[in-house]
Amino acid sequence: AMSRAGVAVSWAALTFIWGSTWLFIKLGVQDIPPLTFSGVRFFLAMVPLGLFIVVRGLPLPSARSDWRLLAGTGLFSFSVSYSLVCWAEIHIASGLTAVLFTTFPLFGQVFAHLYLPSEPFRARKVLGVVLGIAGVGMIFWDQVSLEGPMALWGSLAVVLSAAVSAVSGVFVKRQGGHLDAAVLSFWQMAFGL
C-alpha cells in the first residue's frame, strides 16, 4: 500500500502532467503538423510502456473480442480524439482547450448511464462535473475566448474529442476490465497510430 505522502506526490505529479498536456500540445503543433505531432507523441509514450510490459512479463490479450475492443477504442480515444485536439489547438488557446475538454466526465456520465447499468445518471455527479468545469474555467479565465474565424470549429473539435474519449472509456470499462492497464494503453496507442 502507498503511504499518504506517496499518494500526495502521485496526485501532484499526475495533476501537473495532465494539466500541462494542453500547453505542450499547443507548443508542439506550432512546429509539427497536428497528425504527425499526435502520432509521434504516442509512439514515444509506447516505448517505455512496451519495455514495462516486457519486463513485467504481462501477457497479450488472447480473445478476439479483446483485440476488437483495443482496436476500436484505440482508434477513437487516441487517433480520432487527439487528432481533433491537436488540430483544434492551431485555432484556439490551450486554456480554452483545457476548459472544453473538462466536458469529458459529463459525456462519460451520459454514456455510462446508457451502457453501464450499474452507473445511473445522478444529479450529484453532474454537480461535481459542473463544479470541475467551473474550477478549470476560473484557472484559465483569461484564455476562454474565441478569436479568429476557425475558433468555433476548433472549440467544437475539442468537445467532440471529449465525447469520443468518453464513449471509448465506457466501452473499455464495460468489456475490458479484465485487461491490465499497461497492456490496454499500449495496444490502444498502437492501434491509434
Side-chain angles (χ1 to χ4, degrees), residues 109 123-133:
Q109 288 179 21
R124 190 173 64 183
K125 291 180 180 179
V126 174
L127 178 61
V129 170
V130 169
L131 289 173
I133 293 170

Side-chain angles (χ1 to χ4, degrees), residues 81-97:
S81 179
Y82 279 95
S83 294
L84 285 168
V85 166
C86 289
W87 176 83
E89 287 217 45
I90 294 171
H91 307 290
I92 62 174
S94 62
L96 179 56
T97 303

